[in-house]
Amino acid sequence: DHFGFTGVPDHQWLEFFWMPATEPRPLSVALATEGKVNLNHQIMPFTYIRRATAMHGALQGVRITAFHQSTTADPASASHPKTPNPSQPSPFEFRYPVNAFETLRGMDEDRFNQGDIFRSAAEICETFLVPKRAGEPDRPGTASVNSDHDYGTATATSGLTRAAMLDWWNGSGQVGFQPTGDNTRESPYAQLYPRLCTRSNVYQVHYKVQFLRKSRSTAPDVWDETKDRVAAEQRGSATVERYLDTTDTTQPDYVTELNAIRAVDDEYRYRIIQRQPFTP
């Protein structure tokens, strides 16, 4: 089909670059992942708990640009989308919001349900972003929002799933979205990559600590509710960050020192960046 589908995926070059999150303020400092969304949103072993709210937020502002062949049949037309004319703009819409529900379900089918995970943020490029028309709901059976967006005779997205994405792009033997350039198809992934990670480095830890006082008349390794007592208790939360010290010159250069015994995980340090006691 396309040369990009052969051999080692070219998106793996992205892993040579670190993309920090800088809005609304510099968040991802020292190679930590604060401010980023973890692609591996499934919680193990509690797979019945869905923790995909952040992924819905990351996909919310992404738009898929696709030019349907039926709307670009006449390149010389004044309303052609690739040669816009302010006095005669194209009447058709070419930007699709992302159906987050179907996109995440595709991740479940391709990765998590197969016992696999995302190992790098660049692997988002291997996941189809399922489009929907403006006003179309994510979940089937949900009421649509009235919209005056005109998509012409472009293939409908209602009920579209990840499994049907190749047919949607290629047209399944009919008219498809072939006029869409590679740079336009890659643009949504370029928007998503800086926002994603696969290993969280910032954790919110909730704790409940008790100071126990043992009675002298009871065994030291047995708790007796009638004689022993809780002398003090504290509850709260702490934000713990795992980071790399970029000023530490003792860390090996993993690019040139191919036989380095230490792994990069050995170089991580931990610090508490916020404490919040619970004092009702």
Side-chain angles (χ1 to χ4, degrees), residues 21-43:
T22 58
E23 294 182 357
R25 57 182 175 83
L27 292 170
S28 305
V29 296
L31 299 182
T33 56
E34 185 179 5
K36 296 197 175 191
V37 177
N38 197 329
L39 270 176
N40 296 313
H41 55 272
Q42 187 183 73
I43 304 177

Side-chain angles (χ1 to χ4, degrees), residues 104-124:
L104 295 177
R105 187 160 72 171
M107 292 183 183
D108 292 340
E109 295 173 354
D110 295 343
R111 296 279 177 164
F112 306 135
N113 294 351
Q114 305 298 325
D116 199 2
I117 61 172
F118 290 97
R119 292 170 176 79
S120 68
E123 289 182 344
I124 185 63

